[in-house]
Amino acid sequence: MTVRAMMAGSLVGPGDPSYDEARQVFNGMIDRRPALIAQCESRDDVVTALALAADRGWEVAVRAGGHSAAGFGVTEGGLVIDLRRMAAVEVDSARKVATVAGGATWADVDRACAPYGLATTGGRVSTTGVAGLTLGGGSGWLERSFGLACDNVLSAEVVTVDGRVVVASEDENPELFWALHGGGGNFGVVTELTFRLHPLQTTTLGLLFWPPDAGPEVTRAYRDLLEGDAPDALGGGSAYLTGPPEEFVPPHLVGKLAHAAVVVYAGEEGAARDSIASLLALAPDSAMITPMPYADIQSALDDPPGFRNYWSAEHLMALPDEAIDLVHAASAHMVVPSPSQQILIPWGGALAQETADWPLPHRRTQWVVHPLGLWTDPADDARGIAWARDLCASVRPYATGDVYLNFTGDEGHERVVAGLGAANYRRLEEVKTAYDPENRLHLNHNIAPALTPVG
């Protein structure tokens, strides 16, 4: 029996009309041509695809949302295990649990949970894959209320490289379960995740805009608010960005560099307004504050695929005025107009209170400096990449040294160790050795097997 006959899904190769569309990932800089794309419809398809790759000696890429800035979801000349057809979400409202297939996006989860007044922390872009975001930790708008996405994982179904299907939870394969909380896709193909859900009846979105020169004053007020008595329900960020062509953006800021405060509040509009009174007192040029379903908030800031992307991040335990001034100075070098943005993200709240010993040493961080470069013209590549790198370098004297890896591209082995912590990395090496001793799943923030020297 042929491999095609064994699979419920499809195999797409270079000669197929859908090939170019199927190989495209979110980052338009990535232009790789896999030998074959396995569009899987079941875990059995995943088993078959892994066996095929092993037989042919092909490199393996695993794709869910395809949002990796480094383009880890596609390979040059190898096999892509494309999970997007495996997108089912089942909600048990009585138990407050959602079972999510490995190819689902956060839009799938958010909209399945909404009718029950339930939610869990997802990414800030609705088209992001659930599995990739969660396995790397899972930062999102609701993290101060409900913790990271991985904090809410109850179990995971994993297909290992040798074709076994295993379940990881606190009681079953607990070492693998621990590794999946930040260790990424290093240990197998995750085909299902079960999440704890939280009641969430009402959410409020706020977008406040000022001219860019107001950025330092607004950011200092934002810092003082979040380091003061801000409720855990308040999330969001302080950002430099291109003013979008929306009714709530003043015409003089459309298409121009602007400073914005993004407010995502897990509660009523009145409470949201009360919590950001100090920002409203700074007289924004416009302030759009409105109740909005969480699923709509999640998709409100989506960017379409195809832009050229370069992201990075630095973590700060404190945010002195000097660091704020450096971030402001760097805003002048952003690629504008474009969807590029520099967002300063507050952590803390439930994220910092989580007591589980996951391989996430950065969760006590207070602030994340996160440049996201997005542009269309290849001629802007050098400028966009230099802007993100230079911004991170400028604030490094104030940085903790660790990093949330999902906010970065491929920045080398030392950066991976920094993201996981040296002691955690050594422990993760042992898990990697047990589940993927030949490092066949290396298109990720890679953890090499313990017996494999790292170059």
Side-chain angles (χ1 to χ4, degrees), residues 211 268 289:
E268 301 283 350
I289 304 172

Side-chain angles (χ1 to χ4, degrees), residues 125-302:
V125 177
S126 71
T127 54
T128 302
V130 172
L133 183 109
T134 302
L135 297 177
S139 176
W141 295 129
L142 296 179
E143 62 200 2
R144 285 174 47 84
S145 294
F146 305 140
L148 297 171
C150 75
D151 295 335
N152 294 288
V153 172
L154 300 174
S155 66
E157 178 186 85
V158 183
V159 179
T160 65
V161 292
D162 57 1
R164 292 177 295 133
V165 179
V166 301
V167 173
S169 68
E170 289 185 352
D171 301 320
E172 193 172 357
N173 298 304
E175 193 68 358
L176 176 59
F177 188 62
W178 173 83
L180 296 176
H181 289 72
N186 273 283
F187 315 103
V189 181
V190 174
T191 50
E192 187 175 276
L193 290 161
T194 303
F195 289 93
R196 179 190 302 109
L197 303 177
H198 305 267
L200 186 67
Q201 296 294 338
T202 304
T203 46
T204 301
L205 175 66
L207 295 170
L208 287 61
F209 285 85
W210 292 263
D213 288 347
E217 180 184 15
V218 174
T219 304
R220 286 192 291 270
Y222 189 79
R223 172 199 63 194
D224 294 344
L225 169 62
L226 269 294
E227 291 185 355
D229 58 358
D232 291 352
L234 177 62
S238 180
Y240 291 92
L241 45 72
T242 300
E246 302 289 350
E247 292 182 1
F248 54 82
V249 179
H252 64 280
L253 294 179
V254 173
K256 304 293 179 59
L257 183 66
H259 189 83
V262 181
V263 175
V264 178
Y265 192 87
E268 301 283 350
E269 178 185 349
R273 287 181 178 273
D274 289 344
S275 73
I276 61 168
S278 60
L279 299 181
L280 293 172
L282 296 178
D285 287 23
S286 69
M288 188 278 289
I289 304 172
T290 184
M292 185 178 291
Y294 173 62
D296 292 345
I297 290 177
Q298 282 285 77
S299 60
L301 302 179
D302 284 359

Side-chain angles (χ1 to χ4, degrees), residues 376-398:
T376 56
D377 188 346
D380 287 324
D381 286 359
R383 180 160 68 104
I385 292 170
W387 163 71
R389 289 177 174 172
D390 290 348
L391 172 55
C392 288
S394 72
V395 299
R396 206 157 286 147
Y398 309 96

